[in-house]
């Protein structure tokens, strides 16, 4: 089974945003990255699209969900500040391939864990905004991982 762990697309600078950070939206660049993600993964066999409740995360996977004819399911296990082990458990216990959009702290901890177990080479540790990790899950564990850098779609 495949699990696609996506970092939300570009949403501007946290420090210059004056409202509730949970409501910070994607920038034009972020929307281009979201459309690029939909183009990259739209042909994959994906049964669910899950996201943190933060607006920038939901917006990142909306074009993909639409292309797949699926609704975005909100799951705060992927929200900023959530325990990363719970997010990883959601990915490894899934019964069908899924895309999950999360945030840097959660993704960073998951990637660090996978690197510590030798699934990801130490030199390949990264999680740019708009990028995805394609995780191969077998028997409830991640056995392989491949990085997909962010792709911007034409405007």
């Amino acid at each position: 089974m495949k699990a696609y762990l996506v970092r939300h697309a570009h949403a501007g600078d946290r420090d210059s945003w004056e409202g509730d950070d949970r409501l910070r939206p994607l920038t034009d660049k972020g929307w281009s990255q979201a459309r690029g993600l939909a183009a990259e993964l739209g042909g994959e066999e994906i049964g669910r699209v899950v996201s943190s409740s933060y607006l920038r995360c939901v917006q990142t996977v909306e074009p993909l969900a639409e292309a797949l004819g699926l609704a975005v399911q909100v799951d705060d296990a992927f929200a900023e500040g959530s325990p990363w082990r719970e997010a990883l458990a959601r990915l490894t216990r899934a019964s069908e391939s899924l895309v999950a959009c999360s945030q840097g702290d959660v993704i960073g901890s998951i990637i660090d864990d996978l690197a510590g177990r030798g699934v990801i080479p130490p030199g390949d540790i990264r999680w740019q905004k708009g990028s995805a990790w394609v995780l191969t899950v077998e028997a409830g564990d991640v056995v392989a991982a491949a990085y997909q850098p962010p792709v911007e779609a034409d405007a």
Side-chain angles (χ1 to χ4, degrees), residues 107-123:
I107 293 173
S109 294
I110 290 171
I111 299 308
D112 284 345
D113 176 69
L114 295 175
R117 294 192 277 141
V119 176
I120 296 171

Side-chain angles (χ1 to χ4, degrees), residues 42-86:
E44 300 295 325
E45 290 189 28
I46 296 168
R48 292 177 43 219
V49 177
V50 182
S51 175
S52 157
S53 62
Y54 283 55
L55 179 60
R56 58 191 173 270
C57 288
V58 173
Q59 288 178 330
T60 297
V61 292
E62 279 179 336
L64 174 62
E66 184 177 314
L68 296 170
L70 299 170
V72 176
Q73 301 171 359
V74 171
D75 184 342
D76 276 327
F78 296 100
E80 187 173 307
S82 295
W84 66 269
R85 283 185 174 86
E86 186 59 33

Side-chain angles (χ1 to χ4, degrees), residues 76-106:
D76 276 327
F78 296 100
E80 187 173 307
S82 295
W84 66 269
R85 283 185 174 86
E86 186 59 33
L88 182 59
R90 296 275 208 284
L91 296 171
T92 58
R93 293 181 189 150
S95 60
E96 59 190 339
S97 289
L98 78 153
V99 170
C101 188
S102 190
Q103 291 158 284
D105 63 330
V106 174

